[in-house]
Amino acid sequence: VTSALSQQLTIDASLDYSKNDYLVGSRSDDLWNTKIGATYKYNKYVNLKGEYTYQNNASNSAGSDFKGNTFAVLASIRY
């Protein structure tokens, strides 16, 4: 989902789910990815973006569960 709050500022969010069943053994994973971000268009050449991503993998295999948090700051410059 993306929404323009103004000509210069947009926000976006996504939610993804995948279920992974492995051919060897009985391992099964449920993976969730959630992402939210905002983009600021400084001018027609420069965009700045901040983004947060959360991942959660639930597995029936010992030691395969994980949770992750990622923060990113991105700059896009075109000429």
Side-chain angles (χ1 to χ4, degrees), residues 55-68:
Q55 291 183 304
N56 184 352
N57 188 68
S59 178
N60 66 352
S61 178
S64 297
D65 291 342
F66 68 85
K67 293 179 181 176

Side-chain angles (χ1 to χ4, degrees), residues 7-49:
Q7 288 183 345
Q8 293 173 306
L9 185 63
T10 59
I11 58 171
D12 57 271
S14 66
L15 176 64
D16 300 313
Y17 169 77
S18 64
K19 181 165 184 67
N20 302 302
D21 292 319
Y22 293 82
L23 297 175
V24 177
S26 61
R27 180 178 170 182
S28 179
D29 292 1
D30 295 305
L31 177 62
W32 290 90
N33 288 303
T34 305
K35 187 181 291 188
I36 57 173
T39 301
Y40 176 71
K41 295 179 182 179
Y42 182 73
N43 58 34
K44 66 181 182 179
Y45 302 107
V46 178
N47 290 339
L48 303 172
K49 181 171 186 162

